[in-house]
Amino acid sequence: MTIFSTMRRAGIPVLACLLALPALADEPGGLVTGSFGDQPLELTVAPELSGATIIGNYADASLLASQMEGDQGPVNLELTINGELPAPGEMALTITFARDMGRNWTGDQDSLTLTLEEFTPGDGIVALKGTLTGQVSGGPSSETRPVTFSFDTRLEELD
């Protein structure tokens, strides 16, 4: 009898954690994965430095994602999107490598293509999911490199 009683009590915290998972999924954050040239990157979205506003059909979103580990050292990616939904016409992407100050790369709507799968507000959180492909330019030699990034994020809805 005590074995079943102990198992039942041990199962309560596990059940509580499993029930909390949907609530955690609604918290701000997310991932940006893809490649910069032939270098794979996986960056974590900083919820406190990211947010979105939707007014009618107009959307304005900004996210900052970073990768602290790896050969390149800290890497930051900043993406801003704004314009009319479902296809906002303006965007800017900046990729910064912290170990090499001359390795900043940028792109905008002229060199990048944005495909949005989701840009949906709900309960103070904006779900933002999509893919960004194209080219960025910069670096120490003013080069151009291909990029492909997919993002699946939840941003705090700002007033």
Side-chain angles (χ1 to χ4, degrees):
M1 187 77 152
T2 57
I3 293 174
F4 293 115
S5 174
T6 303
M7 288 175 55
R8 186 173 52 223
R9 277 184 277 157
I12 291 172
V14 172
L15 180 60
C17 289
L18 290 174
L19 291 173
L21 285 177
L24 292 176
D26 291 338
E27 293 295 317
L31 285 175
V32 178
T33 58
S35 62
F36 167 77
D38 59 358
Q39 178 182 0
L41 293 174
E42 182 173 308
L43 305 109
T44 304
V45 174
E48 62 279 358
L49 300 173
S50 305
T53 302
I54 299 176
I55 301 172
N57 286 340
Y58 187 83
D60 185 13
S62 176
L63 65 89
L64 179 70
S66 59
Q67 174 181 309
M68 300 308 286
E69 304 298 322
D71 296 340
Q72 300 297 321
V75 178
N76 290 323
L77 178 145
E78 183 178 357
L79 174 63
T80 58
I81 302 168
N82 54 48
E84 296 287 325
L85 292 174
E90 296 181 30
M91 71 187 101
L93 174 69
T94 302
I95 303 170
T96 307
F97 291 84
R99 288 192 184 164
D100 187 352
M101 295 303 286
R103 294 194 58 205
N104 296 338
W105 301 80
T106 60
D108 60 19
Q109 63 274 0
D110 295 332
S111 63
L112 299 167
T113 301
L114 175 67
T115 304
L116 284 180
E117 296 173 33
E118 184 176 10
F119 201 129
T120 310
D123 295 327
I125 299 292
V126 175
L128 178 61
K129 185 175 184 179
T131 304
L132 188 66
T133 57
Q135 297 183 347
V136 292
S137 57
S141 303
S142 296
E143 304 170 53
T144 300
R145 292 203 181 157
V147 293
T148 300
F149 289 106
S150 294
F151 48 91
D152 187 357
T153 65
R154 291 156 316 282
L155 307 176
E156 180 180 357
E157 187 171 7
L158 306 172
D159 294 330

